[in-house]
Structures are given as structure tokens and as C-alpha cells.
Amino acid sequence: MTSPPYDVVVRPDGVHHLQSADPHNIVRLILPEAATPSARNDQAAKTLRHWLSEGVLTTDPHPGLYVYEQRDGNGMLQRGIIGALRVSDPAEQVVLPHEDVMPHIVADRAALMRATSANLEPLLLTYRGDDSTTATADLIERTAEQPPLLATTTEDGFSHRLWSVTAPADLTTIQSDLARHQALIADGHHRWATYRRLRTEHPSPSPWDHGLVLLVDTARYPLRVRAIHRLLHGLPVLEAVAALDGHFRVRRLEIPLSEALEALADAACAGNAFLLAGDGAFHLVDHPDPDLLARTIPADRPTAWRTLDATVLHATLLDHVWRIPEDSPAHITYIHDTAATVAKAERDGGTAVLMHPVREEVVRDLARQGVTMPRKSTSFGPKPASGLVLRALDL
């Protein structure tokens, strides 16, 4: 039934795999398949209604929140609270974004949510707990000692457990504790932007005033930060490398992926660095020409933003060197899985651009300054599994 979030599923391979694994997999709602966008959304709405009528999905009879736990086999443990959060305006600085969004994706998600009248998967928000959130932290731990409402293990080896919290006193405690904190969007910028768009379309008060989220205290449960890679369509890697002549240093590496990523990490310690792939080898790109960076990167942003790998990639490489429109799905795809990015580049004759992850403290510091990073700059995790908690707005 579960699936990774919609933007993590590698299409079409991952969609077809999840569909064939279970006729009731949530991927049929979050990534419906049909000939046109309208038909896809209609299909998702029809499927959701059918699953509700058949009891595949059931409505919790009591209003409440959910304690959600993820655990892997290597000692990683994450717990948080799933619930409906009030959709706030950026000026309130209650929810802090750290990345730009792509309008066409927001439009796509909005059309799907309108058709289904549902929040189909929670986005991931983080906050920094302190002495004022001790009661909530204790409540989460106590709840996790009880038998779960639901328990499952996904293909990636993660175990997932879920508990409902319905006691009025417990709900009041959580709401009171967390009301005083800011939340950073760790994953789900497009869904949050979609929540904001849909809220403006419906007169308040309405169910659209809130959106489904998972809140994790990273003081207690630090998240992992990984990179999101790029697949450039129609640009063979050797052409991409040739265009870098005189602008960057490029070294060809005929080594396994794991060793190439280690080389990328070492190079990233000294400055901007990228790994290109697509021809069976890897090309380590680093040492950008300072004059080129000065000409292509906007000077009206903080140094921490100007020196981001994602900034250099988008402002210098994509816009200036390769001249690839970053908001066109026909030219560029964003993929979380490293090996899948390389494999698709080699299969399709394109260029994989592998990124090194940015540190969480840099992300949070820029967000507090109101500075957004280039789109798809980070991948926080582990991400909540889709399909465990949905929010239907018309029930």
C-alpha cells in the first residue's frame, strides 16, 4: 500500500513496480496514469472514492494526531507527529521554506488535490525542540511504548509504526508546545506551495486552511541530508564536458560509483564540485573560473548562497555554459537515487549531474534569513511513507 513520496518515485520504472506489487498501492493516487492530466486526476479521484467505499481506506472515527516512527536496521530512529497544520503566509515566518519551487509542479499537485479533495501524503517539517517541548517529547516516547495502530516494513528495509493520539489533554499539550516554534520545510516545498494556493481559492474558514504534515524534532531526531541529482536530456556527457573547457577543471575517473562519490566529497571540501556521468565513466568537475562565477552569479545574495553547488550549477552551468532551461521537464529531470540517475543517463544518452549534499545548518541559516536556495537543492530524510495517513477534506 505504501510508496515513497511522489517526487522520489523514479518514473516510469518505479510507478510500474509499485502498481504491480499491490493493486491498492498509494502510487495510483499520487501518480495516477492516463492519457491526459485531466484524465489522470479524474482517475485518482475515482480510485480514492472506490477505496473508501470498499473499506480499503477507512476514516478515523475520532479527531486526533498520529505519532509516527521510522526505523532502519542500522540504528536510525525517527519519531514525529502527523497532523493538519494551519497554512500560514511567508510573512508570518511560522513555516520556513528553503528552496524555490517550479510553478508547473505546483499547478500539477493543485489539480490533483482539487480533483481528489484530499491531502494524499504528508510533507516533512522540522523544528528544534527545547525545554518548552519536553511534554510533547515525553508524550511521543510514552505513546511509542504502546501497541501500534499499524506496523509495516517497506522494501528499503525501514519499519514504520503508527499510533493515534485522541485524548483532548494530549492534543492540547502538543498544540500548546509547538505553537511557539518555527518549522523548516525539510521535504515538500511544492506541496506546501500547493496548500497555500488552494487555501486562497476557498473562502475561510474551510478545510483548505490546513494541510497534512509530519513534524520532527531534529534536536532529538536529526535528519539525514542528501543531494538531489540532475539528469540532462539531449546533452551527451562528452558534449557537456567539452563545453566546460577553460571554465572548470575536468578529470575522467574510470572507477566504481562508490569511489567516484568519495572523490566528489573530497573535491567538495575545497570548493564547488560536480560529478558527470553517462558514458560508462565519471568526470569530476571542480575549480571553477572565478571570473566566470563573478559574471554569472547574482551578487545581491549572502555568500553562503552564492557559493552553494546548486547556485553554481543553475546560474553558471545550466544558464550560461550549457544553456538548459531548468524548469523544463523535457530538458532536465530531478532524481534522488544516485545509481538510478547514472543508469538512466547511460541508457538515454544524456548527462547525469551528481551533487554533494549541503549541510543542514547552512539550509536552516539561509531559511531564517528569508533566502531560498535553488530548487531541488536538498533531500532530507528519512521521508514519511505515503499511504499510511491521508486527509480527506470532504468527509
Side-chain angles (χ1 to χ4, degrees):
M1 181 67 184
T2 65
S3 162
Y6 80 96
D7 57 341
V8 179
V9 178
V10 178
R11 290 178 270 191
D13 303 2
V15 174
H16 295 161
H17 171 72
L18 292 166
Q19 287 179 338
S20 61
D22 190 333
H24 300 126
N25 194 284
I26 192 67
V27 76
R28 298 178 184 274
L29 299 183
I30 61 176
L31 291 173
E33 291 197 308
T36 67
S38 177
R40 289 196 293 270
N41 296 333
D42 289 345
Q43 178 64 39
K46 180 180 178 181
T47 300
L48 177 57
R49 290 193 299 270
H50 177 70
W51 287 357
L52 286 167
S53 66
E54 294 295 314
V56 175
L57 295 172
T58 59
T59 303
D60 195 318
H62 306 289
L65 301 171
Y66 298 89
V67 171
Y68 174 52
E69 175 191 278
Q70 295 165 277
R71 188 191 297 264
D72 70 5
N74 300 313
M76 197 292 304
L77 173 66
Q78 178 175 289
R79 290 177 178 146
I81 298 286
I82 295 179
L85 179 70
R86 182 180 66 86
V87 179
S88 55
D89 292 322
E92 298 179 64
Q93 292 200 314
V94 173
V95 174
L96 303 176
H98 70 265
E99 288 182 357
D100 294 331
V101 297
M102 290 175 270
H104 74 277
I105 295 181
V106 175
D108 175 75
R109 291 293 100 184
L112 178 61
M113 287 190 203
R114 285 190 205 99
T116 57
S117 191
N119 300 152
L120 299 173
E121 47 187 344
L123 53 91
L124 175 60
L125 304 182
T126 72
Y127 65 97
R128 300 291 292 179
D130 54 25
D131 291 344
S132 69
T133 58
T134 300
T136 292
D138 291 345
L139 191 154
I140 290 173
E141 302 309 313
R142 289 198 312 273
T143 301
E145 295 174 356
Q146 305 302 313
L149 178 69
L150 178 152
T152 188
T153 300
T154 46
E155 285 186 340
D156 56 7
F158 274 84
S159 64
H160 306 259
R161 297 198 297 168
L162 193 72
W163 299 261
S164 61
V165 179
T166 57
D170 291 340
L171 299 178
T172 298
T173 293
I174 295 171
Q175 292 168 350
S176 176
D177 279 4
L178 301 190
R180 296 185 290 271
H181 287 262
Q182 288 180 318
L184 174 73
I185 301 178
D187 183 70
H189 283 81
H190 290 91
R191 279 167 283 169
W192 183 255
T194 301
Y195 290 168
R196 292 187 56 240
R197 172 182 289 192
L198 293 174
R199 185 199 62 177
T200 65
E201 296 177 2
H202 298 81
S204 186
S206 83
W208 298 95
D209 291 342
H210 296 77
L212 188 65
V213 305
L214 165 64
L215 281 159
V216 174
D217 175 3
T218 52
R220 184 173 292 259
Y221 299 110
L223 269 66
R224 298 170 179 172
V225 186
R226 293 192 169 100
I228 302 177
H229 310 297
R230 277 69 169 159
L231 177 62
L232 310 181
H233 306 288
L235 178 65
V237 67
L238 294 182
E239 288 185 19
V241 168
L244 300 177
D245 186 40
H247 299 308
F248 289 77
R249 182 176 70 172
V250 182
R251 288 172 284 168
R252 183 181 177 91
L253 308 176
E254 298 198 21
I255 56 179
L257 174 59
S258 60
E259 295 180 22
L261 291 174
E262 290 177 3
L264 173 62
D266 290 341
C269 292
N272 300 117
F274 311 91
L275 202 61
L276 307 187
D279 63 344
F282 297 97
H283 306 265
L284 184 60
V285 177
D286 61 0
H287 289 196
D289 175 18
D291 291 337
L292 175 65
L293 298 184
R295 293 196 310 271
T296 56
I297 296 178
D300 60 345
R301 303 287 184 91
T303 299
W305 181 90
R306 300 182 73 248
T307 55
L308 288 169
D309 287 340
T311 298
V312 173
L313 172 63
H314 286 262
T316 303
L317 287 172
L318 293 179
D319 290 353
H320 182 79
V321 177
W322 294 326
R323 300 189 182 280
I324 293 176
E326 61 180 296
D327 57 352
S328 170
H331 294 88
I332 183 168
T333 299
Y334 298 83
I335 304 178
H336 293 71
D337 185 273
T338 308
T341 310
V342 174
K344 288 179 73 66
E346 292 179 350
R347 184 178 64 199
D348 301 341
T351 295
V353 182
L354 306 184
M355 309 283 288
H356 185 68
V358 65
R359 301 190 315 276
E360 181 181 357
E361 56 266 31
V362 173
V363 176
R364 193 174 293 275
D365 182 58
L366 287 172
R368 285 173 174 161
Q369 295 180 58
V371 178
T372 54
M373 300 165 64
R375 58 198 63 174
K376 298 293 183 181
S377 293
T378 60
S379 176
F380 283 85
K383 306 176 190 303
S386 298
L388 299 178
V389 178
L390 289 69
R391 178 173 174 258
L393 280 70
D394 55 1
L395 293 179

